[in-house]
């Protein structure tokens, strides 16, 4: 992953949805394909990026859970009275925290992600895919999905880093963005039904 992939992905998402924060759109409407509302989807994405950034801090003693010292925290929440613009500011701030953590860590650094250890590149890829996948959900719920078109080279790198089992021909035949959406169970592709279950592989690539 390029160091700016997370920044670019999140900036594109914010650019697309920010106008909907001042247009009186109902952010309690469901995000497309999720049980969460659009508001809750942004909270979840902000929380995920924030928790990822915490994993770059010194690790606690190894627990008995087998999670390699992964720091568990409660979900970030924002009171509705602050409005969607402040909610999007929270998302941007959490993305910035993770981006700064990635840039400050050396390439040999190893951080926990649940039951495995990954590296700054792995966290950049996971943060990017989280932003793109939930960006798809959010823009669908807000009615601006047609404007959400992440850079194909970012999608290609994310696929290569987290989904090594997916043949490159899938991306070549259908495009990196549709292939990534298929990889994370959002859409079907010709000859490839929508995935009911999926998991990325964030292990360190030597």
């Amino acid at each position: 992953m390029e160091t700016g992939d997370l920044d670019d992905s999140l900036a594109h998402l914010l650019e697309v949805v920010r106008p909907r924060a001042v247009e009186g759109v109902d952010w309690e409407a469901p995000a497309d394909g999720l049980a969460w509302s659009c508001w809750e989807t942004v909270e979840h994405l902000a929380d995920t990026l924030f928790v990822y950034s915490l994993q770059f801090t010194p690790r606690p003693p190894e627990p008995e859970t087998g999670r390699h010292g992964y720091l568990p925290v409660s979900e970030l929440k924002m009171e509705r009275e602050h409005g969607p613009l402040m909610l999007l500011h929270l998302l941007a701030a959490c993305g910035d925290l993770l981006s700064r953590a990635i840039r400050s860590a050396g390439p040999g650094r190893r951080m926990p992600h649940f039951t495995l250890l990954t590296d700054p590149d792995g966290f950049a890829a996971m943060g990017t895919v989280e932003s793109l996948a939930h960006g798809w959900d959010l823009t669908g719920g807000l009615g601006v999905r047609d404007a959400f078109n992440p850079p194909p080279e970012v999608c290609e790198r994310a696929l290569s880093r987290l989904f090594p089992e997916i043949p490159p021909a899938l991306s070549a035949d259908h495009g990196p963005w549709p292939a990534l959406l298929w990889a994370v169970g959002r859409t079907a592709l010709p000859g490839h039904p929508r995935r009911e279950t999926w998991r990325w592989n964030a292990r360190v690539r030597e």
Side-chain angles (χ1 to χ4, degrees):
M1 299 295 295
E2 299 291 335
T3 55
D5 286 344
L6 172 61
D7 298 330
D8 292 345
S9 300
L10 197 54
H12 176 55
L13 172 59
L14 291 168
E15 180 183 15
V16 171
V17 302
R18 192 173 282 118
R20 306 298 274 174
V22 296
E23 294 174 351
V25 173
D26 182 13
W27 284 68
E28 296 303 325
D32 189 42
L34 300 180
W36 295 321
S37 68
C38 291
W39 185 284
E40 291 168 331
T41 300
V42 177
E43 284 182 329
H44 168 75
L45 178 54
D47 178 65
T48 299
L49 300 179
F50 174 68
V51 173
Y52 283 177
S53 70
L54 292 182
Q55 308 316 315
F56 287 76
T57 60
R59 283 190 285 155
E62 291 291 315
E64 295 180 359
T65 60
R67 289 193 172 194
H68 292 286
Y70 189 81
L71 286 169
V73 297
S74 299
E75 292 185 21
L76 291 179
K77 296 291 184 182
M78 178 170 284
E79 297 297 331
R80 299 312 200 260
E81 65 190 49
H82 297 298
L85 276 178
M86 189 60 72
L87 177 68
L88 294 179
H89 179 70
L90 172 66
L91 174 58
C94 291
D96 185 63
L97 282 174
L98 178 56
S99 180
R100 289 173 183 269
I102 292 169
R103 286 183 166 85
S104 66
R109 181 83 180 272
R110 299 293 181 264
M111 292 78 60
H113 182 255
F114 291 100
T115 59
L116 58 82
L117 293 177
T118 187
D119 55 8
D121 187 72
F123 271 104
M126 290 188 291
T128 297
V129 172
E130 290 277 4
S131 299
L132 297 181
H134 288 308
W136 172 265
D137 307 327
L138 179 62
T139 55
L142 294 175
V144 289
R145 180 172 286 166
D146 288 346
F148 189 55
N149 296 295
E153 61 274 13
V154 172
C155 300
E156 190 72 69
R157 285 192 287 269
L159 274 170
S160 176
R161 178 61 180 82
L162 294 182
F163 300 95
E165 79 283 3
I166 294 178
L170 194 74
S171 177
D173 292 343
H174 303 285
W177 177 221
L180 181 59
L181 288 173
W182 178 82
V184 295
R186 264 43 180 198
T187 63
L189 290 175
H192 300 275
R194 182 172 177 174
R195 301 176 96 186
E196 297 296 329
T197 59
W198 59 273
R199 177 175 293 183
W200 59 42
N201 183 350
R203 293 188 184 280
V204 177
R205 303 282 186 264
E206 298 298 344

